Amino acid sequence: MVAKKNDNSSGIIGILDLQGGVHEHLDHLHRLGIAGRKVKQAADFDNLAGLIIPGGESSCIFRLLNIFEIKNPLLAACRQGMKIWGTCAGAILLAKKVVGENACLGLIDIEVERNSFGSQLDSFKSEARIPEVDADSIPLTFIRAPKILNAGSTVKVLLKIGDYIAAAENDNILVTIFHPELTASTAFHRYFAAKCKVSCRINTESRADEGWNYCSWTRHARIA
Ligand code: GLN
């Protein structure tokens, strides 16, 4: 069987829809006027310019990739030109080395340590300037995040904070240990779209959409 070429002509970016923050990424793509597609089975990879692997629980997504039999179709699509961005758990799945555990996809030469900041209660927000990605400072949300401990020579570090790397890329893969989809900023989604050669039909400034307040992970509880 001849593998179908993945190119950017479709202008579609997929979101791996097994577990985790799928809708938040779709929402950000939608805000930029980019067509997004949920990806759950092998046929869904056809003609994707890019794929986002969302944050969630990497061990769960790892198992579901095997149960749904889409690990090999994903790797084949990547070989055919599909770019991939992993946020948090997604970055863990893309890493070549995971401290104390088996690596899953091994598509970028980084070593990650899961839950490296502590428990869910040690989650935090910050911000940083990443000149390659945006002229403005970018808000960063870390949720039970891994640390990228080191990166090989094929990897470009986009953001280093103290002793760990927080964002990095190679020619085909982008990884962030934080969650741009849980902030108002569309800077990283625009950056990934450019990597996929997909154009944004809506030209928002990264912080222009002040009205954005999509925080499904911090819904207000009604306390009687
Ligand atoms: N701690 C999770 C894991 O190891 C990642 C958390 C996240 O994606 N926000 O898979």
Side-chain angles (χ1 to χ4, degrees):
M1 193 181 102
V2 180
K4 282 189 191 159
K5 175 124 182 64
N6 282 74
D7 58 32
N8 52 39
S9 56
S10 68
I12 299 173
I13 293 181
I15 326 270
L16 190 67
D17 182 20
L18 299 178
Q19 188 265 336
V22 177
H23 288 274
E24 290 81 353
H25 277 295
L26 270 177
D27 179 58
H28 268 39
L29 294 179
H30 182 73
R31 289 170 63 213
L32 292 170
I34 295 171
R37 178 201 292 163
K38 292 188 196 173
V39 173
K40 214 171 195 138
Q41 52 190 4
D44 298 335
F45 289 103
D46 285 353
N47 289 317
L48 284 186
L51 177 77
I52 298 174
I53 305 181
E57 181 61 33
S58 57
S59 54
C60 175
I61 301 173
F62 193 156
R63 290 187 65 187
L64 290 171
L65 276 170
N66 289 323
I67 291 168
F68 281 64
E69 297 179 344
I70 52 176
K71 182 173 163 184
N72 287 332
L74 185 157
L75 291 170
C78 183
R79 281 193 298 275
Q80 294 295 319
M82 181 187 75
K83 311 290 184 196
I84 309 179
W85 172 20
T87 52
C88 203
I92 297 167
L93 292 162
L94 288 164
K96 207 165 190 172
K97 288 190 203 140
V98 182
V99 174
E101 296 182 28
N102 291 330
C104 180
L105 299 168
L107 290 170
I108 182 165
D109 188 9
I110 55 172
E111 181 178 24
V112 300
E113 181 177 60
R114 293 180 63 201
N115 304 325
S116 202
F117 296 88
S119 78
Q120 193 85 359
L121 294 176
D122 299 301
S123 300
F124 61 98
K125 287 181 184 176
S126 180
E127 60 175 75
R129 282 210 62 234
I130 310 174
E132 290 88 344
V133 178
D134 201 54
D136 287 335
S137 174
I138 299 174
L140 311 173
T141 297
F142 297 77
I143 303 176
R144 201 155 53 88
K147 281 183 184 171
I148 300 173
L149 302 178
N150 50 65
S153 59
T154 53
V155 176
K156 178 177 179 185
V157 173
L158 294 169
L159 177 63
K160 188 158 194 230
I161 305 173
D163 63 348
Y164 63 90
I165 296 163
E169 67 180 343
N170 65 19
D171 287 346
N172 299 318
I173 309 295
L174 172 67
V175 285
T176 58
I177 62 169
F178 46 83
H179 292 266
E181 77 285 7
L182 297 180
T183 74
S185 172
T186 51
F188 262 95
H189 290 78
R190 278 189 284 114
Y191 186 72
F192 182 59
K195 194 174 178 78
C196 301
K197 300 196 166 50
V198 169
S199 48
C200 304
R201 283 184 289 111
I202 300 173
N203 212 351
T204 59
E205 292 292 322
S206 57
R207 284 181 178 244
D209 196 354
E210 294 294 340
W212 183 89
N213 188 24
Y214 189 95
C215 286
S216 62
W217 61 290
T218 53
R219 281 199 204 291
H220 284 288
R222 269 182 93 88
I223 299 171

